[in-house]
Amino acid sequence: MYGILVWPPEELGEFLLELQRQHRVKGFGPPHLNLRQPFEWGHGEESLRKAVQGILRSHAPFRLRLGGWASFPQGVVYLRAYGGAPFRKLHHALEPLAPPLKEIEGPSYIPHLTLALGLSPEAAQELARTLPSPRRKSFVLREAALVQDNTDGDLVEVARFPFAG
């Protein structure tokens, strides 16, 4: 399984990891922002690297604003993110690479950084209501990472690509 994502700035990532430790929750891998849903790729990793790099070189860096905490009915707690038209264009440009592994978000994807997975819907709502806001209110997306999950379920970075625009 592959993913294309953005790692948050260091202090935001540390803030999210500390919240995970405090509340004894976790997401899939370290905190990150998916630019598209996870997918399988059967055409060789080098061809995937070239395809992703080709898409990203036509996108300029852009600012992502952070919103508040919320939850999905599946028991997911997340920090909402807003990237406007630049995010939507990038997300839609990456979607045709391959069908998603599992259709989760559908066409109305909500950009977010996941804090917790696998909670009951009620526990997720309660946790989202009690979390403190991060000090950082935005950051600029300048690059994306191509990741693959290993046999232990960890995310391993395969390559990193700057937005060239």
Side-chain angles (χ1 to χ4, degrees):
M1 175 182 77
Y2 287 95
I4 303 168
L5 53 85
V6 172
W7 303 115
E10 186 175 350
E11 77 275 4
L12 179 58
E14 289 173 4
F15 170 77
L16 295 169
L17 287 171
E18 180 57 31
L19 287 176
Q20 287 178 328
R21 282 190 289 276
Q22 285 176 8
H23 296 280
R24 295 186 175 107
V25 296
K26 60 182 177 177
F28 188 77
H32 60 274
L33 172 80
N34 283 328
L35 294 177
R36 63 150 290 149
Q37 292 185 70
F39 59 96
E40 292 291 343
W41 183 263
H43 308 291
E45 198 167 275
E46 187 56 32
S47 67
L48 178 56
R49 286 177 194 231
K50 288 179 182 178
V52 173
Q53 185 175 31
I55 292 168
L56 294 178
R57 81 167 51 118
S58 66
H59 293 270
F62 62 93
R63 184 161 298 281
L64 187 80
R65 288 183 309 104
L66 298 174
W69 293 102
S71 64
F72 291 126
Q74 302 85 354
V76 175
V77 177
Y78 65 92
L79 183 61
R80 181 70 161 92
Y82 300 90
F87 183 90
R88 283 191 301 279
K89 286 179 186 174
L90 179 57
H91 178 72
H92 291 304
L94 290 167
E95 279 298 303
L97 275 174
L101 203 61
K102 179 179 170 186
E103 185 60 57
I104 301 169
E105 288 102 3
S108 57
Y109 175 70
I110 297 173
H112 65 279
L113 292 107
T114 299
L115 181 77
L117 297 170
L119 303 176
S120 71
E122 299 78 21
Q125 288 176 348
E126 180 60 28
L127 180 56
R129 278 195 293 270
T130 64
L131 292 168
S133 296
R135 279 190 232 131
R136 181 180 275 266
K137 300 300 178 200
S138 70
F139 63 95
V140 176
L141 276 63
R142 300 181 191 284
E143 63 184 8
L146 173 64
V147 298
Q148 184 177 29
D149 70 329
N150 65 15
T151 55
D152 297 329
D154 295 325
L155 295 179
V156 177
E157 187 171 307
V158 173
R160 206 176 273 209
F161 306 102
F163 297 165

